Amino acid sequence: MRRHSLFGNSAQSTVKYQKHFRAFKFAQIFAMTTAMTLNDQLVTSDQEIIPTSPLDLLPEQEQPLPDPDEMLLLLNSEAVFERMQAARAFCELEDSRSIPRLIELLNDECPLVRVSVAYALGRNKSEQAIAPLIHQLSQDWNGYVRKGIVWALGTCRAKSGLQPLISALKYDITAVRLWAASALGQLGDLQAIPSLTSALSEDPMSAVRGNCAWSLGKLVGQMRCEFDFQEEVFQDAVDALINALIDDDLSVQTDARTALRKLGEPRALKVLDRIEMDQGYCEF
């Protein structure tokens, strides 16, 4: 049975949609692209982390999925808003037929198309998309696009994305560092531990530090199963998590506490018990 489409069930309804919304969409795209061009610094403080990706905003009510065949056609449209709409549709749809064209659209002239493509490739996982994503991460001027690519690499658990993600964690803008910290935890590569340890101790943004604590809890827990507690890398990570228990931000403290509890490392548990006794901390 044919899936209900956002554009209707016929070519006629698609034309009708284009007629009524073309002017509005072009105005919207122009305004958003101008804003993205003028301000690549997505986040300047913890309070300014604003959802900007197709996956950040959840719909108020469940919407019918677009028709994949129609969206495949629109990926090749000459109209920017149609390419963007189609790419965003594949953030929800999984269809391997879309992957070759989505990879091509990583080089689209419009950043709104490119950012939607990045998230779509994270949803439609393919080994052939990894190298193009990494290449685009290294050259795209737009922070929204780089943020989406970082998410895609983490979601795809792309092992070859390790070094690009470490670089993003060290040098990129806040919103990209935030997602790079989480993506490194998703990769499951223990080589990321030293970089996450450093970022947990040194990054100026608490949201980034919190994600580093989460990823360290995940990776150090994995390391505990594979190596001895006396490994220097392990101990450095545990030390950073213990220090994060007195971070200025309560959310970072909570992330560090959760990570240390999961690890069950004796020294860390003693510190946790002492701090929580002094603070009268109680988990409900």
Side-chain angles (χ1 to χ4, degrees), residues 19-250:
K19 179 180 178 181
H20 286 291
F21 289 93
R22 185 180 300 274
F24 168 74
K25 286 294 184 180
F26 272 122
Q28 184 185 53
I29 289 168
F30 176 78
M32 293 179 68
T33 304
T34 300
M36 292 168 75
T37 302
L38 293 177
N39 184 21
D40 188 36
Q41 182 67 25
L42 304 188
V43 180
T44 56
S45 72
D46 290 342
Q47 288 71 35
E48 294 175 4
I49 297 177
I50 301 172
T52 54
S53 79
L55 302 182
D56 281 336
L57 294 175
L58 296 177
E60 294 183 2
Q61 58 183 10
E62 188 173 348
Q63 299 293 327
L65 290 175
D67 184 283
D69 292 326
E70 289 185 13
M71 297 301 103
L72 286 169
L73 291 175
L74 289 182
L75 284 176
N76 293 289
S77 173
E78 293 183 1
V80 172
F81 79 84
E82 291 180 346
R83 296 198 303 276
M84 179 183 68
Q85 196 79 2
R88 291 174 74 92
F90 286 104
C91 295
E92 301 178 81
L93 300 169
E94 292 187 40
D95 192 320
S96 60
R97 296 176 297 170
S98 69
I99 293 171
R101 180 57 179 157
L102 288 172
I103 292 173
E104 292 176 357
L105 289 175
L106 279 172
N107 295 310
D108 195 277
E109 62 183 1
C110 177
L112 291 172
V113 175
R114 298 199 304 276
V115 70
S116 296
V117 166
Y119 289 106
L121 286 172
R123 181 72 70 192
N124 292 268
K125 302 174 180 61
S126 171
E127 188 63 33
Q128 70 185 96
I130 302 304
L133 284 167
I134 291 173
H135 176 71
Q136 194 65 27
L137 177 62
S138 69
Q139 69 172 16
D140 205 296
W141 59 266
N142 190 276
Y144 291 91
V145 180
R146 297 197 304 277
K147 174 186 171 186
I149 291 173
V150 162
W151 177 85
L153 291 174
T155 301
C156 293
R157 291 174 170 77
K159 297 298 183 182
S160 57
L162 175 66
Q163 291 305 320
L165 289 174
I166 287 176
S167 179
L169 177 62
K170 289 181 179 179
Y171 304 117
D172 217 315
I173 61 176
T174 301
V176 180
R177 298 199 311 277
L178 179 72
W179 287 36
S182 298
L184 286 169
Q186 289 178 291
L187 287 191
D189 193 321
L190 301 182
Q191 295 180 71
I193 291 177
S195 296
L196 288 165
T197 300
S198 297
L200 174 58
S201 302
E202 301 169 4
D203 198 282
M205 303 302 289
S206 62
V208 178
R209 298 196 301 275
N211 280 4
C212 287
W214 177 85
S215 289
L216 278 175
K218 187 177 179 68
L219 293 178
V220 176
Q222 177 183 333
M223 185 178 186
R224 183 188 62 178
C225 299
E226 300 179 14
F227 298 97
D228 188 86
F229 272 166
Q230 301 307 312
E231 286 280 338
E232 183 177 355
V233 172
F234 179 92
Q235 291 301 327
D236 288 345
V238 171
D239 287 343
L241 287 168
I242 290 174
N243 290 333
L245 293 173
I246 55 173
D247 192 276
D248 293 336
D249 191 277
L250 288 176

Side-chain angles (χ1 to χ4, degrees), residues 7-26:
F7 301 108
N9 294 322
S10 67
Q12 182 179 3
S13 61
T14 300
V15 172
K16 183 178 180 181
Y17 170 86
Q18 295 169 358
K19 179 180 178 181
H20 286 291
F21 289 93
R22 185 180 300 274
F24 168 74
K25 286 294 184 180
F26 272 122

Side-chain angles (χ1 to χ4, degrees), residues 261-275:
R261 282 290 182 200
K262 288 181 178 179
L263 289 178
E265 198 267 346
R267 177 170 60 92
L269 291 178
K270 289 181 181 179
V271 174
L272 265 177
D273 290 340
R274 185 171 68 250
I275 291 177

